[in-house]
């Protein structure tokens, strides 16, 4: 459905909930057979990660960057499966000990003063939905995976979904008053983050907010004992999670000088709070 109040140059959102997406190799498995689950569990917990092969007739295949086609979070087939993608959306919150609603609410409250917001890397669109629930009228969301977009569109029918990447936003200049990104930047190679920030500056109005939540460097850099003393068993759990989940670019992200990068891109950092397990960042276009 096209937003009649939106900019005339907006891309037309696809009716993702009615798009028939091709099966991946994961979808072809016999899930009624116990051996299938054994193979999936083995693949999930293996230290070896495989590059994702997507079928030729996948919508938007040519625009999906190679760095996205990895088994992030140890998910066999990544976010390119009819079968596992929906489970991943639910399972991620469980694995994160249901701390994600707090993260999404942080973003939603910061952007509640905006009329138009774009959620970057929306996944299942829970962040976009939280922003919408805060009273934002015009909410858009992008993701490179059509499987994630389909799951999101089936759940949230009042949000406008577009298949796109953050480094090449298909929106006109100064289109939005706010941007959000929840657990996205650390999954992008550093050389593309600079382009992402340039695009964020382009599509934001002056004074617009870009609100971000990422994994905190605390659980990546502190010892188990130090985390136990300050955060109890929760700290130890997230330390273990940080070591076991496949996050190929997260260490590079934690070493980046974000203040320097945001300043160069035309933003000022209003808040940068490192907790466990989240890092909360609010920036503003100057």
């Amino acid at each position: 459905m096209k937003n009649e109040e939106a900019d005339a140059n907006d891309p037309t959102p696809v009716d993702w909930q009615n798009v028939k997406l091709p099966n991946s190799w994961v979808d072809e498995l016999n899930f009624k057979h116990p051996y299938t689950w054994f193979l999936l569990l083995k693949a999930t917990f293996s230290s070896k990660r495989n590059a994702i092969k997507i079928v030729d007739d996948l919508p938007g295949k040519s625009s999906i960057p190679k760095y996205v086609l990895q088994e992030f979070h140890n998910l066999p087939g990544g976010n390119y499966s009819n079968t596992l993608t929906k489970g991943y959306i639910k399972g991620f919150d469980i694995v994160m000990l249901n701390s994600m609603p707090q993260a999404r609410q942080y973003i939603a409250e910061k952007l509640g003063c905006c009329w138009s917001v774009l959620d970057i890397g929306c996944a299942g669109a829970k962040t976009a939905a939280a922003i919408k629930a805060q009273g934002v009228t015009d909410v858009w969301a992008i993701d490179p995976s059509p499987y994630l977009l389909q799951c999101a569109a089936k759940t949230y029918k009042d949000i406008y979904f577009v298949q796109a990447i953050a480094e090449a936003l298909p929106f006109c200049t100064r289109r939005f008053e706010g941007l959000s990104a929840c657990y996205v930047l650390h999954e992008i190679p550093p050389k593309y983050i600079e382009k992402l920030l340039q695009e964020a500056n382009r599509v934001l109005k002056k004074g617009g907010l870009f609100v971000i939540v990422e994994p905190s460097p605390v659980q990546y850099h502190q010892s188990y004992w130090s985390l136990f003393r300050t955060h109890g068993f929760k700290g130890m759990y997230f330390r273990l999670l940080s070591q076991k989940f496949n996050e190929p670019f997260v260490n590079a992200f934690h070493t980046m000088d974000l203040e320097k990068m945001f300043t160069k891109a035309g933003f000022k950092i209003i808040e940068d709070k490192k907790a466990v397990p989240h890092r909360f960042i609010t920036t503003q276009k100057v």
Side-chain angles (χ1 to χ4, degrees):
M1 180 175 63
K2 182 69 174 175
N3 185 355
E4 294 179 355
E5 297 179 297
D7 191 284
N9 296 316
D10 284 337
T12 302
V14 174
D15 183 13
W16 286 108
Q17 59 182 315
N18 292 314
V19 174
K20 183 171 177 56
L21 297 176
N23 284 336
S24 69
W25 67 268
V26 176
D27 300 316
E28 299 297 337
L29 297 174
N30 180 8
F31 284 88
K32 295 182 179 180
H33 199 292
Y35 187 63
T36 294
W37 291 100
F38 169 76
L39 290 177
L40 284 176
L41 288 172
K42 183 180 178 181
T44 299
F45 292 103
S46 171
S47 59
K48 181 181 179 181
R49 307 270 35 110
N50 300 309
I52 297 170
K53 296 180 180 180
I54 53 179
V55 295
D56 291 336
D57 56 344
L58 184 73
K61 178 182 178 180
S62 61
S63 64
I64 300 174
K66 288 184 179 180
Y67 74 79
V68 175
L69 300 178
Q70 301 192 52
E71 294 181 334
F72 289 99
H73 308 153
N74 300 23
L75 189 68
N79 288 312
Y80 293 85
S81 159
N82 283 302
T83 305
L84 294 187
T85 298
K86 185 176 181 179
Y88 164 76
I89 293 170
K90 293 181 179 179
F92 181 69
D93 278 25
I94 295 172
V95 170
M96 293 299 292
L97 301 184
N98 290 316
S99 66
M100 295 310 299
Q102 173 202 9
R104 298 181 187 114
Q105 190 59 28
Y106 170 85
I107 293 173
E109 289 179 359
K110 293 290 184 180
L111 296 174
C113 59
C114 300
W115 175 80
S116 56
V117 172
L118 172 65
D119 183 40
I120 296 172
C122 67
K126 292 182 180 180
T127 301
I131 294 168
K132 187 75 176 181
Q134 201 67 24
V136 178
T137 302
D138 184 41
V139 180
W140 291 70
I142 65 164
D143 201 279
S145 169
Y147 298 96
L148 285 170
L149 291 170
Q150 184 164 87
C151 289
K154 287 181 177 179
T155 306
Y156 305 108
K157 297 178 173 57
D158 55 354
I159 295 169
Y160 305 97
F161 296 101
V162 176
Q163 186 180 17
I165 57 174
E167 308 95 285
L169 297 175
F171 297 93
C172 66
T173 300
R174 295 182 295 276
R175 168 64 179 82
F176 296 100
E177 295 179 348
L179 300 177
S180 62
C182 187
Y183 273 55
V184 175
L185 270 64
H186 75 282
E187 295 186 343
I188 299 175
K191 66 179 181 179
Y192 293 113
I193 292 181
E194 184 174 352
K195 179 62 176 175
L196 179 156
L197 294 180
Q198 291 173 359
E199 281 289 273
N201 181 292
R202 182 183 65 80
V203 301
L204 265 182
K205 299 177 185 295
K206 185 176 181 179
L209 298 174
F210 187 9
V211 187
I212 300 157
V213 175
E214 293 293 332
S216 174
V218 175
Q219 63 260 22
Y220 283 82
H221 297 155
Q222 291 189 17
S223 67
Y224 282 100
W225 175 240
S226 175
L227 286 163
F228 177 72
R229 286 189 300 170
T230 54
H231 299 282
F233 287 107
K234 182 182 80 169
M236 295 180 69
Y237 170 82
F238 283 110
R239 168 65 178 171
L240 178 65
L241 207 63
S242 73
Q243 303 303 302
K244 296 301 181 182
F245 264 23
N246 180 43
E247 298 279 15
F249 311 116
V250 69
N251 289 325
F253 175 76
H254 286 154
T255 62
M256 297 174 68
D257 187 339
L258 292 187
E259 184 172 3
K260 182 178 179 180
M261 290 193 67
F262 275 99
T263 300
K264 181 181 177 182
F267 291 87
K268 65 177 179 179
I269 294 181
I270 298 173
E271 181 177 48
D272 186 357
K273 181 173 65 175
K274 302 177 183 71
V276 171
H278 309 302
R279 181 178 185 177
F280 304 92
I281 305 170
T282 297
T283 73
Q284 185 175 37
K285 177 179 174 178
V286 296

